[in-house]
Amino acid sequence: MGDELVRVYVPATVPMLALLRERGLPASGGHAVTPALREWYAEGDEEELEYVAFTRAAQDALQLLREDADAPRRRVVVSVDLPAGAVGRGDGELGSSVVDLDGPLPASAVAALHVDGAEAVGDVAAAVDVVAEALAGDPDAQFTVDGAEDHELEWYDPSEWELLLRTAS
């Protein structure tokens, strides 16, 4: 069991990508296919469950952007493969994909990088401005957030990290 890896989707920002590349990222949580998510979405196959976890990480990236006014307005999700022992259970609430991470993320664990393209920046910026209101149940704010979520994040191989940092900044 010590060899088993778990795919975790970690929300981030473009500046956090640079930090991860240089010395690792002090991430404390992320999203993964958890027993609670499987139970809640029993009819979902593995790919659908992973998509739910990935989408929730992208939603959390909006919160991170809200906290960092200087970061480029692009959601970032880092897909990492971590030893099962480094991934904690999270909140355990039915349907939850939240997991706790034990220690900083090493760049060597990165399986893929996902970042909004340039065409999403306006919608993401608008969503960042109202994400708190959307979470509080404001339907107009949720409509704005949904506009950002209509954009699929672009996929990058870890070998494209430098290119990504140059173009996304």
Side-chain angles (χ1 to χ4, degrees), residues 145-166:
V145 169
D146 290 345
E149 292 177 356
D150 286 343
H151 295 277
E152 291 288 327
L153 276 72
E154 296 174 356
W155 180 93
Y156 293 86
D157 185 87
S159 67
E160 299 174 287
W161 210 318
E162 289 302 322
L163 170 67
L164 175 59
L165 288 174
R166 280 196 306 275

Side-chain angles (χ1 to χ4, degrees), residues 26-152:
S28 59
H31 292 270
V33 177
T34 62
L37 181 59
R38 280 185 204 288
E39 185 179 337
W40 171 74
Y41 194 40
E43 71 279 2
D45 64 20
E46 194 68 18
E47 190 172 315
E48 290 170 313
L49 293 170
E50 295 223 356
Y51 185 75
V52 169
F54 176 87
T55 301
R56 290 177 179 171
Q59 291 167 348
D60 285 356
L62 286 175
Q63 301 272 35
L64 293 174
L65 287 170
R66 190 166 170 258
E67 296 165 12
D68 184 352
D70 296 329
R73 293 322 200 207
R74 296 176 189 238
R75 296 168 298 162
V76 176
V77 175
V78 182
S79 296
V80 294
D81 291 326
L82 298 171
V87 180
R89 285 210 170 251
D91 61 20
E93 194 174 303
L94 184 62
S96 177
S97 59
V98 173
V99 293
D100 298 321
L101 301 177
D102 180 24
L105 293 178
S108 61
V110 174
L113 304 162
H114 312 271
V115 181
D116 272 313
E119 74 287 343
V121 170
D123 289 335
V124 170
V128 168
D129 290 341
V130 299
V131 68
E133 292 86 348
L135 289 170
D138 180 318
D140 292 333
Q142 186 59 53
F143 182 80
T144 301
V145 169
D146 290 345
E149 292 177 356
D150 286 343
H151 295 277
E152 291 288 327

